Short mmCIF file of all heavy atoms in Angstrom, two decimals:
data_model
loop_
_atom_site.label_atom_id
_atom_site.label_comp_id
_atom_site.label_asym_id
_atom_site.label_seq_id
_atom_site.Cartn_x
_atom_site.Cartn_y
_atom_site.Cartn_z
N ILE P 146 118.70 77.49 106.06
CA ILE P 146 119.10 77.97 104.73
C ILE P 146 119.76 76.79 103.96
O ILE P 146 120.75 76.26 104.45
CB ILE P 146 120.10 79.13 104.88
CG1 ILE P 146 119.43 80.29 105.69
CG2 ILE P 146 120.55 79.62 103.54
CD1 ILE P 146 120.34 81.49 105.97
N THR P 147 119.14 76.44 102.84
CA THR P 147 119.59 75.20 102.20
C THR P 147 120.11 75.48 100.74
O THR P 147 119.75 76.51 100.15
CB THR P 147 118.42 74.19 102.13
OG1 THR P 147 117.31 74.82 101.50
CG2 THR P 147 118.01 73.75 103.47
N TRP P 149 121.08 73.96 96.65
CA TRP P 149 120.29 73.45 95.56
C TRP P 149 120.57 71.99 95.18
O TRP P 149 119.92 71.40 94.34
CB TRP P 149 120.44 74.30 94.30
CG TRP P 149 121.85 74.63 93.95
CD1 TRP P 149 122.45 75.85 94.17
CD2 TRP P 149 122.88 73.78 93.41
NE1 TRP P 149 123.77 75.81 93.78
CE2 TRP P 149 124.05 74.55 93.28
CE3 TRP P 149 122.85 72.51 92.94
CZ2 TRP P 149 125.26 74.02 92.82
CZ3 TRP P 149 124.08 71.95 92.41
CH2 TRP P 149 125.19 72.75 92.39
N LYS P 173 114.50 78.81 104.16
CA LYS P 173 114.81 79.51 102.90
C LYS P 173 115.59 78.57 102.00
O LYS P 173 116.77 78.35 102.14
CB LYS P 173 115.68 80.79 103.14
CG LYS P 173 115.66 81.60 101.85
CD LYS P 173 116.87 82.43 101.70
CE LYS P 173 118.05 81.72 101.13
NZ LYS P 173 117.93 81.23 99.76
N SER P 175 117.24 77.22 98.40
CA SER P 175 118.09 77.93 97.43
C SER P 175 117.22 78.57 96.37
O SER P 175 116.22 78.06 96.00
CB SER P 175 119.02 76.91 96.74
OG SER P 175 119.56 77.48 95.58
N GLU P 176 117.64 79.71 95.91
CA GLU P 176 116.91 80.44 94.84
C GLU P 176 116.91 79.63 93.53
O GLU P 176 116.06 79.83 92.69
CB GLU P 176 117.60 81.83 94.56
CG GLU P 176 119.05 81.81 94.21
CD GLU P 176 120.00 81.77 95.44
OE1 GLU P 176 119.59 81.13 96.45
OE2 GLU P 176 121.02 82.40 95.41
N GLY P 205 117.10 84.76 97.38
CA GLY P 205 118.51 84.32 97.32
C GLY P 205 119.31 84.81 98.50
O GLY P 205 118.78 84.88 99.65
N LYS P 206 120.55 85.16 98.21
CA LYS P 206 121.49 85.57 99.28
C LYS P 206 120.93 86.68 100.17
O LYS P 206 121.18 86.69 101.39
CB LYS P 206 122.77 86.01 98.51
CG LYS P 206 123.86 86.49 99.35
CD LYS P 206 125.03 86.82 98.48
CE LYS P 206 126.07 87.49 99.39
NZ LYS P 206 127.32 87.64 98.79
N GLY P 209 118.60 85.25 102.65
CA GLY P 209 119.37 84.43 103.61
C GLY P 209 120.12 85.37 104.55
O GLY P 209 120.10 85.14 105.80
N ALA P 210 120.71 86.45 104.00
CA ALA P 210 121.46 87.39 104.87
C ALA P 210 120.51 88.09 105.84
O ALA P 210 120.91 88.28 107.01
CB ALA P 210 122.18 88.39 103.99
N PHE P 223 122.68 76.14 108.38
CA PHE P 223 123.03 76.45 107.00
C PHE P 223 123.76 75.27 106.34
O PHE P 223 124.61 74.61 107.02
CB PHE P 223 123.95 77.65 106.96
CG PHE P 223 124.66 77.85 105.68
CD1 PHE P 223 124.02 78.46 104.57
CD2 PHE P 223 126.00 77.46 105.52
CE1 PHE P 223 124.69 78.61 103.39
CE2 PHE P 223 126.67 77.62 104.32
CZ PHE P 223 126.02 78.21 103.24
N GLY P 225 125.84 74.82 102.65
CA GLY P 225 126.18 75.50 101.36
C GLY P 225 127.69 75.74 101.36
O GLY P 225 128.47 74.97 101.99
N SER P 226 128.13 76.71 100.62
CA SER P 226 129.56 76.92 100.44
C SER P 226 130.21 77.50 101.68
O SER P 226 129.58 78.11 102.56
CB SER P 226 129.71 77.95 99.24
OG SER P 226 129.18 79.17 99.67
N ARG P 228 132.23 79.90 101.66
CA ARG P 228 132.14 81.37 101.57
C ARG P 228 130.87 81.86 102.25
O ARG P 228 130.93 82.74 103.12
CB ARG P 228 132.14 81.79 100.09
CG ARG P 228 131.86 83.28 99.91
CD ARG P 228 131.30 83.60 98.51
NE ARG P 228 130.13 82.88 98.14
CZ ARG P 228 128.87 83.16 98.53
NH1 ARG P 228 128.69 84.12 99.38
NH2 ARG P 228 127.82 82.42 98.16
N ALA P 229 129.75 81.31 101.90
CA ALA P 229 128.48 81.78 102.45
C ALA P 229 128.43 81.49 103.97
O ALA P 229 127.92 82.32 104.74
CB ALA P 229 127.34 81.12 101.73
N GLU P 232 130.15 84.18 105.76
CA GLU P 232 129.37 85.41 105.78
C GLU P 232 128.24 85.30 106.85
O GLU P 232 127.95 86.29 107.52
CB GLU P 232 128.75 85.68 104.38
CG GLU P 232 129.82 86.19 103.36
CD GLU P 232 129.35 86.23 101.94
OE1 GLU P 232 128.16 86.05 101.72
OE2 GLU P 232 130.20 86.44 101.06
N ILE P 233 127.65 84.14 106.99
CA ILE P 233 126.62 83.98 107.92
C ILE P 233 127.15 84.09 109.33
O ILE P 233 126.46 84.65 110.22
CB ILE P 233 125.89 82.56 107.70
CG1 ILE P 233 125.02 82.68 106.44
CG2 ILE P 233 125.15 82.10 108.94
CD1 ILE P 233 124.44 81.37 105.99
P1 ADP R 1 125.78 77.58 96.04
O1 ADP R 1 126.84 78.50 95.51
O2 ADP R 1 126.07 76.22 96.03
O3 ADP R 1 124.41 78.01 95.66
P2 ADP R 1 125.71 79.07 98.42
O4 ADP R 1 126.58 78.75 99.60
O5 ADP R 1 125.98 80.31 97.65
O6 ADP R 1 125.82 77.80 97.55
O7 ADP R 1 124.20 79.12 98.84
C1 ADP R 1 123.61 78.17 99.66
C2 ADP R 1 122.41 78.83 100.33
O8 ADP R 1 122.85 79.93 101.11
C3 ADP R 1 121.35 79.37 99.35
O9 ADP R 1 120.10 79.23 99.90
C4 ADP R 1 121.81 80.84 99.28
O10 ADP R 1 120.71 81.73 98.90
C5 ADP R 1 122.20 81.15 100.67
N1 ADP R 1 123.27 82.22 100.85
C6 ADP R 1 124.29 82.53 100.02
N2 ADP R 1 125.03 83.48 100.58
C7 ADP R 1 124.45 83.80 101.73
C8 ADP R 1 124.71 84.74 102.75
N3 ADP R 1 125.78 85.62 102.68
N4 ADP R 1 123.93 84.85 103.82
C9 ADP R 1 122.88 84.00 103.95
N5 ADP R 1 122.54 83.08 103.04
C10 ADP R 1 123.30 83.01 101.96
#
Side-chain angles (χ1 to χ4, degrees):
I146 301 177
T147 56
W149 45 256
K173 193 208 80 64
S175 167
E176 58 274 37
K206 178 178 173 169
F223 165 80
S226 62
R228 172 203 55 78
E232 288 171 8
I233 285 170

